[in-house]
Amino acid sequence: ETGVTQTPRHLVMGMTNKKSLKCEQHLGHNAMYWYKQSAKKPLELMFVYNFKEQTENNSVPSRFSPECPNSSHLFLHLHTLQPEDSALYLCASSEGTDYEQYFGPGTRLTVT
Amino acid sequence: AQKVTQAQTEISVVEKEDVTLDCVYETRDTTYYLFWYKQPPSGELVFLIRRNSFDEQNEISGRYSWNFQKSTSSFNFTITASQVVDSAVYFCALSEAITGGGNKLTFGTGTQLKVEL
């Protein structure tokens, strides 16, 4: 595999479910990111990790819980979500500060 | 706070026409980076270019060219001889370094480009 991969690509979950999104980067990058893309809204940065340490939490509700076990893997744990959390969740990685970010294909999440 | 404005919500052109996508940004930083990304219907954002605030030279890559003008805080993107495969949403973004590592991208709302035969 090359680049940034995300699984699953599509996810439908109820408001009481617990699920996790997975991201893996094969680029040797140090930083990883989660973004949320809702219809008709700009991409919103959610979390940033650099060398496994969280460096940014953009006021994300606690029902979203990130985990970064190493520089290549990033997870987003989801629990008790709301319908308005339905969106495309994009993972990205970069070599470091000021470098371009490379994005995965995203997970299309629907909360019912 | 940083801000990126892409005033054109949607542009439709006929194949082989040239098209320019506008991007205007606001920042108080003296050093910053600007980016353009392409998002085809498949959803994945594809990196196109990164530009340092100190480098105002225009850049050309095949049919793509970028015009960075610091005086007007603009970083416009031109596609020459557009093709149907260019149909996508294009995002301009501004970078802000994060203490501790990584960088925060502020994206514009995107411009939907439709290229028709």
Side-chain angles (χ1 to χ4, degrees):
Chain A
E1 296 253 27
T2 58
V4 181
T5 58
Q6 289 185 243
T7 55
R9 294 293 309 276
H10 300 272
L11 178 62
V12 178
M13 60 184 290
M15 289 191 286
T16 59
N17 290 158
K18 290 184 179 180
K19 296 286 185 183
S20 296
L21 309 185
K22 179 183 175 182
C23 175
E24 184 173 359
Q25 60 97 358
H26 309 268
L27 300 168
H29 290 166
N30 306 320
M32 296 190 77
Y33 310 78
W34 279 116
Y35 286 86
K36 176 183 178 182
Q37 187 177 29
S38 306
K40 300 182 180 179
K41 290 180 72 175
L43 279 95
E44 303 170 67
L45 178 67
M46 300 175 72
F47 302 102
V48 181
Y49 280 82
N50 191 50
F51 288 106
K52 305 189 301 178
E53 299 299 320
Q54 187 179 112
T55 58
E56 178 86 4
N57 177 337
N58 198 23
S59 303
V60 180
S62 59
R63 58 186 183 269
F64 295 91
S65 175
E67 179 189 0
C68 189
N70 54 61
S71 294
S72 299
H73 295 85
L74 185 63
F75 296 88
L76 188 62
H77 304 299
L78 317 170
H79 62 98
T80 58
L81 295 190
Q82 305 298 312
E84 59 265 29
D85 296 323
S86 298
L88 180 67
Y89 288 85
L90 292 159
C91 174
S93 70
S94 71
E95 189 173 334
T97 304
D98 298 329
Y99 286 88
E100 58 272 17
Q101 295 177 20
Y102 290 88
F103 286 79
T107 294
R108 175 70 64 185
L109 174 67
T110 302
V111 181
T112 61
Chain B
Q2 308 209 102
K3 185 178 179 181
V4 175
T5 301
Q6 294 180 256
Q8 304 152 307
T9 304
E10 186 173 321
I11 300 175
S12 290
V13 298
V14 176
E15 201 174 39
K16 297 185 182 177
E17 285 185 1
D18 299 346
V19 58
T20 296
L21 310 181
D22 298 333
C23 173
V24 175
Y25 62 92
E26 296 176 27
T27 180
R28 294 182 179 178
D29 294 341
T30 53
T31 301
Y32 50 88
Y33 290 82
L34 292 159
F35 303 81
W36 275 95
Y37 284 85
K38 173 182 179 180
Q39 188 175 39
S42 60
E44 181 173 347
L45 272 84
V46 178
F47 165 72
L48 296 178
I49 190 171
R50 175 182 71 139
R51 176 47 50 96
N52 183 311
S53 57
F54 290 105
D55 182 3
E56 290 196 65
Q57 279 192 334
N58 289 336
E59 176 137 353
I60 298 175
S61 176
R63 296 185 296 108
Y64 295 170
S65 62
W66 290 270
N67 183 351
F68 175 38
Q69 297 208 350
K70 208 168 179 178
S71 60
T72 57
S73 297
S74 66
F75 186 40
N76 296 336
F77 173 31
T78 297
I79 301 175
T80 302
S82 60
Q83 299 176 3
V84 173
V85 294
D86 296 327
S87 297
V89 181
Y90 290 86
F91 292 94
C92 180
L94 174 62
S95 176
E96 174 184 357
I98 298 172
T99 302
N103 58 312
K104 181 175 183 177
L105 290 182
T106 298
F107 285 86
T109 50
T111 297
Q112 170 81 59
L113 174 65
K114 294 184 179 179
V115 182
E116 299 167 334
L117 292 171

